[in-house]
Amino acid sequence: MEREGRAGGAASGELVTIGEFARLSRLSAKALRRYDELGLLRPARVDPVNGYRYYDPAQVEGARLVAWLRRIGMPLNRIGRVVALDAGAAAVEVRAYWARVEAETAARRDLAMYLVDHLSAEGRTMSRMPDDAENNGSSGSTGSAGSVGALAIRCAALTDIGVVRTANQDAAFAGPRLLAVADGFGEGGAEASAAAIEALKPSTWGRDGELSAADLLNALEDTADSAARAVRDAVAPCEDPDGSGTTLTAMLWTGSRLGLVHIGDSRAYLLRGGELFRITHDHSLVQSMIDDGSLSPEEAASHPGPALLLKALVGEARPAAVAVACRPDVRLQEVLAGDRYLLCSDGLSAVVDTADLRTAVVAADDPEEAVRRLVGLAREAGGPDNVACAVADVVVE
């Protein structure tokens, strides 16, 4: 290796040897050879006789950028795209990558916290079992659950093409076991949104009987995987399947629990006690800028940039590690009689403010009236996009 460095230095003129360039860029010679092979960082000249590599000192900044991007864990194929961009576009790409990493970390954190709570509850139950067993022979008592009838959902869904668009790529569904909205994009957007929702219908939610919390989480993961496969199959005939896909926000009812599957920037809201709460987190660049404080919620409402999604169900066949990182969020939702849930695409949430959403959801007597009111609000606001919404009431049967 030293012989290559000395020979290069003697012959390079203004160029520097790989050894000297390694020192300037703080990359090893081995890493520089690897980046050359991958096309990330080509030498300025390669000696045609001995194959020695020579670099222009002006390449140092680009080499350091590659090293920094590797340090934050960016995959090599994505680094190749970033280093080919101008500085402004590269900054947007890095922000989008890191926002996705943080969103995925947050999803894993939520699951970890659920597991802590679930296992802690199991531990407390097991520690009480001997005393409970002794009490089983005494006079019985009626628990609070026994005094409340079984819960069910009453629901409705509606989609609308809007005022501006010429085709409707949104989809919505409301049934006794499933509430879902999907916002398609790209050439195969309509097929993608329909396929994602259709993939949820024949799942375990239609079967009788209860699922434990652990079984429900596993079933949610399986359902999310099924939806991703269905979207890939649906958009495969497109000329550019990688550019087609859909968001998906769905709630799956088992009789006493709601399981949430969410990816993209469609949303789920909960109306409880007269207050409207958003219970999903957008997987979008704008949301990531709100999260890191570089953009206020008020500024986000008028942000001029495109609605760049950090996560969605797409037609692209991804490597296993990337596919796992881009999976939908899944979690369980506490349910109370009297809850009203709203799921909607950004054709509603992006043009109607939260106060008006709350007013419409509160004022409606039933889910059918609610979805009609909400679509009407979107059209009154100019209807720039397709609209999909679904509303469900949790009721005592």
Side-chain angles (χ1 to χ4, degrees):
M1 301 305 169
E2 290 298 322
R3 181 172 177 272
E4 177 179 341
R6 288 195 297 273
S12 63
E14 294 184 358
L15 302 181
V16 298
T17 67
I18 190 172
E20 176 64 12
F21 191 74
R23 184 187 67 79
L24 293 172
S25 63
R26 298 187 180 182
L27 290 170
S28 68
K30 181 179 179 180
L32 289 172
R33 293 188 188 92
R34 176 63 173 157
Y35 296 158
D36 179 14
E37 293 168 359
L38 295 172
L40 294 177
L41 186 64
R42 297 291 193 188
R45 185 171 72 86
V46 177
D47 191 298
V49 177
N50 54 33
Y52 294 164
R53 297 171 174 85
Y54 305 105
Y55 293 82
D56 190 322
Q59 293 178 275
V60 167
E61 193 64 27
R64 288 176 177 170
L65 176 60
V66 172
W68 292 330
L69 294 175
R70 287 297 291 155
R71 288 179 66 183
I72 67 172
M74 184 177 286
L76 289 172
N77 61 342
R78 188 159 185 170
I79 290 176
R81 295 197 300 269
V82 172
V83 298
L85 300 171
D86 62 55
V92 171
E93 185 73 12
V94 173
R95 177 185 287 279
Y97 167 76
W98 192 247
R100 195 183 75 184
V101 170
E102 290 184 326
E104 291 154 4
T105 302
R108 291 195 293 270
R109 181 190 64 231
D110 291 345
L111 179 57
M113 292 301 98
Y114 163 76
L115 291 172
V116 169
D117 293 342
H118 176 65
L119 293 172
S120 298
E122 278 196 349
R124 289 192 295 270
T125 300
M126 292 179 68
S127 69
R128 291 196 299 266
M129 282 179 66
D131 293 336
D132 292 344
E134 292 175 6
N135 291 336
N136 281 342
S138 61
S139 59
S141 62
T142 302
S144 58
S147 62
V148 177
L151 297 177
I153 60 173
R154 301 287 182 265
C155 52
L158 185 62
T159 66
D160 186 74
I161 194 171
V163 176
V164 176
R165 299 292 177 90
T166 58
N168 192 354
Q169 294 187 310
D170 283 10
F173 180 83
R177 294 283 185 173
L178 172 66
L179 198 71
V181 297
D183 181 357
F185 56 85
E187 176 192 354
E191 293 80 4
S193 60
I197 292 179
E198 192 65 28
L200 305 187
K201 294 180 184 178
S203 62
T204 58
W205 322 111
R207 78 186 190 188
D208 294 331
E210 289 298 319
L211 291 174
S212 69
D215 286 341
L216 180 53
L217 278 174
N218 288 336
L220 287 168
E221 293 278 3
D222 292 343
T223 300
D225 290 343
S226 296
R229 288 193 297 270
V231 169
R232 288 197 297 272
D233 291 344
V235 303
C238 297
E239 290 186 8
D240 180 21
D242 294 357
S244 296
T246 186
T247 69
L248 177 65
T249 300
M251 303 195 80
L252 303 123
W253 175 247
T254 68
S256 64
R257 291 187 178 94
L258 275 173
L260 175 68
V261 177
H262 169 68
I263 187 167
D265 62 356
S266 294
R267 293 181 176 180
Y269 295 87
L270 165 63
L271 179 70
R272 177 179 290 174
E275 295 297 323
L276 189 67
F277 306 94
R278 176 152 63 104
I279 59 174
T280 54
H281 196 75
D282 293 350
H283 300 135
S284 67
L285 180 59
V286 167
Q287 182 64 57
S288 75
M289 296 172 71
I290 295 173
D291 294 341
D292 67 19
S294 58
L295 199 65
S296 70
E298 294 74 23
E299 291 169 332
S302 57
H303 189 266
L308 178 61
L309 292 177
L310 303 180
K311 291 171 65 174
L313 301 178
V314 296
E316 179 182 5
R318 291 165 166 166
V322 177
V324 169
C326 294
R327 293 174 76 175
D329 299 341
V330 298
R331 66 182 178 85
L332 306 185
Q333 177 67 31
E334 176 195 13
V335 178
L336 297 177
D339 286 347
R340 174 169 283 182
Y341 288 91
L342 162 64
L343 276 59
C344 65
S345 64
D346 68 344
L348 177 65
S349 60
V351 299
V352 178
D353 64 36
T354 304
D356 291 337
L357 285 180
R358 177 192 171 279
T359 298
V361 174
V362 169
D365 291 332
D366 54 41
E368 290 81 2
E369 181 184 348
V371 295
R372 289 196 299 270
R373 283 176 178 263
L374 292 166
V375 168
L377 285 177
R379 293 185 70 88
E380 289 171 9
D385 198 357
N386 305 149
V387 184
C389 59
V391 173
D393 290 344
V394 179
V395 299
V396 178
E397 285 191 310

